[in-house]
Amino acid sequence: MSDYKAIVIGGGPAGLAAALAAANEGAKVLMIEREARLGGILKQCVHDGFGVIRFGEKLSGCEYAQRFINGVKQNANIEVRLQTFVIQIEKTEEFRITATSARGIEVFTAENLVLANGCRERTARQVNIHGTRPAGVMTAGVAQNYVNLQGALPTKRCVILGSGDIGLIMARRLTLEGAQVVGVYEAKSTPSGLTRNISQCLTDFNIPLHLSKTVKRVFGNNRVEAVEICDVNDKMEYIDGTEEIIACDALIISVGLIPENELAESLHIQIDPRTKGPLVDQNMMTSLDGVYSVGNALHVHDLVDYVSETAEIAGKALTQPKKQREWTDIQHNGFLYLVPQKLDLAALADKTVFYFRTAIPLASAILKASVDGEVVFTKKYAHLKPPEMEKVEVPLQLQQGQKVVFSLEDGEVR
Amino acid sequence: MRLVCIVCPNGCVLEAEKTPEGIKVTGNKCKRGIAFATEELTAPKRSLTTTVATVYPDMPVVPVRTDGEIPKEKIFDLMAYLKKVKADKRYRAGEVICKDAMGLGADIIITIDMIE
């Protein structure tokens, strides 16, 4: 018999919610977290706006995490290992997890595995920037760690590349702490972050947002001295003659997040090239029986409320009696991505929750779900944007062999 | 006047105008948008989230926020005020560290458990 019903890897919002949901159904759970404190990235998210959907309150990221941490600490079914790092997972009749910590190397076994590893920031190496690599080039998350956890100000005057939410939040945070944010530069022609963050983080503090502009080059030997800004066209090519040099001591990069799936890949779990996370069914189970993927390891969310929600679906599902799965594909068009990508017909509930992003901005849109060519569900939307994830509950009833197609169409077209 | 509502993640784009009958708001998905736009045109308010220093080396700063909103133009004054505050005990999330800071009508509360 396995040591645990489930091992949850990662003690951030996704891992916390999955562990609690499983433990509340009576499952014995081990949570493995590599840092000294639970909470994941929310530890450094001192800003508010979390929990509006889940709790109907505007909480800071820290407070949001604290509610789940309290739940985990009070739950006798959950064991937590901090400062412990998973180095290997083997699949036999159960899962054998090898982890390392100050206690040495230990092996734990479980019937199920929840991958809640979160995501990583894309770095300067993943966007083509020329020039030197002096101190002062950092991701927005690293800058956030300096300011919010270490109480250190990593810049006096900086340029922010990328208009992702963390970049916008850091533009405001650094400004409040007394740094000068020269501007936020976005290579795309539309901002990546939430509209309200553009408003409350940039507009409120008179920080300019420059679209279709990028950082071409970094100058400086020991420390960043300046960056070269350049216009780009819609193919992301530099436009010659538009270069401009801006003096600064830091370049802060907020150019996207990528799900972290090294452990999933080591288990040969199928990855969706669109989300860069595992392919899952409606219970968040991956292509490998008993392995669930939740939170930002599955796909990058913009609201933690939905991270908790998907993690709870997985946490609850893993406690249910196992049945042979019947996986069916979902075809879709018009979406940047649609999660889940598969349906397990053996476990289909009355309603299935889907999360999606539109491929292109739409002023008005119609989502349609059809089974064997017959439309079974439609929903209208006003204003869909790729940066804003949507959730929809679709009543789906189908049999093996039936073809499911989801489409997102421009509502303006007649 | 065009405004982006910051009350919830929807981020509704509002049109607000001053009319003799009062402030007229369109584009809001819920009634909180009307309240936000009205306040924004008369006395804009914001909540402030930041950190304050502590006396503990394992946690050099601790996250705090205003429990409520303060006038928008007082944000930097409050930041300067909070620079002088130092947490010298292990607070729990929700505990007040500054009661009615600067008389702006909002308490400053700690937002994590400092106890491990």
Side-chain angles (χ1 to χ4, degrees), chain A residues 136-156:
Chain A
V137 179
M138 71 194 89
T139 61
V142 167
Q144 192 176 46
N145 185 301
Y146 276 126
V147 179
N148 293 347
L149 293 180
Q150 302 179 47
L153 189 60
T155 176
K156 290 193 179 78

Side-chain angles (χ1 to χ4, degrees), chain B residues 11-88:
Chain B
C12 293
V13 178
L14 312 176
E15 278 299 337
E17 64 176 314
K18 279 183 179 160
T19 65
E21 297 87 53
I23 291 163
K24 214 181 131 205
V25 184
T26 54
N28 54 304
K29 280 188 193 160
C30 77
K31 61 179 191 282
R32 288 180 297 180
I34 300 170
F36 171 78
T38 308
E39 203 167 73
E40 204 60 11
L41 291 192
T42 49
K45 284 184 173 167
R46 292 291 182 271
S47 49
L48 174 67
T49 59
T50 181
T51 54
V52 297
T54 80
V55 296
Y56 305 106
D58 64 315
M59 196 181 266
V61 287
V62 60
V64 296
R65 70 173 167 93
T66 51
D67 189 11
E69 293 185 319
I70 61 157
K72 188 178 162 186
E73 77 271 11
K74 296 289 184 192
I75 291 280
F76 282 97
D77 295 343
L78 186 56
M79 278 300 291
Y81 175 85
L82 292 175
K83 279 265 172 273
K84 294 177 207 138
V85 173
K86 209 161 198 181
D88 57 2

